[in-house]
Amino acid sequence: MSSLKTEFRTVTELDHVRIHSLVRRQGGVLTGDIAEVIDNADLVRSQEIPANVVTMYSQVLVADVHSGEQRTLTLCYPADTDPTAGFISVLSPVGSSLLGLPIGAIASWTAPDGTRVAAQVLDILFQPEASGDYVL
């Protein structure tokens, strides 16, 4: 069973292609949570993505639904991952759960210890496409 709750997601065509290419370059096939997100998302051109949707390199403010603890995360590709600085890989359970969600949606995933975690997207502090960067 997938760790993602079925949610409507919107992903840019560019992010879709780049994630597929990344996985292919690593010699793998798209599987798991990220495959579910990518395969079921509504694809749009970068210029058409709403500013309230999490895209690659978006900086988002999330709140744990149980504790209320807030954290700022930036969704990135694996090469740029730095969890201590809040840079979370799109291929991780957390990253996969955030990609394509709008503000207000709940991201949920399974932590490494097997517990279920859920966080609400409170705000998008930065989205490349909203600032006119369609190729970041």
Side-chain angles (χ1 to χ4, degrees), residues 11 20-23 29 46 50 55 60 69 90 93-94 99 107 113 121:
V11 174
H20 269 287
S21 295
L22 169 70
V23 172
V29 285
S46 296
T55 63
V60 299
E69 180 184 346
V90 68
V94 177
L99 182 66
D113 67 2
V121 178

Side-chain angles (χ1 to χ4, degrees), residues 107-129:
S108 62
W109 63 93
T110 302
D113 67 2
T115 60
R116 294 290 297 158
V117 182
Q120 184 173 27
V121 178
L122 297 179
D123 198 7
I124 296 178
L125 307 173
F126 172 78
Q127 184 207 62
E129 294 82 1

Side-chain angles (χ1 to χ4, degrees), residues 3 9 25 47 55 64 73 80 91 93 109 111-112 125 135:
S3 62
R9 295 171 187 261
R25 280 194 312 273
Q47 295 84 348
T55 63
D64 184 284
L73 302 173
D80 296 326
L91 299 183
W109 63 93
L125 307 173
V135 294

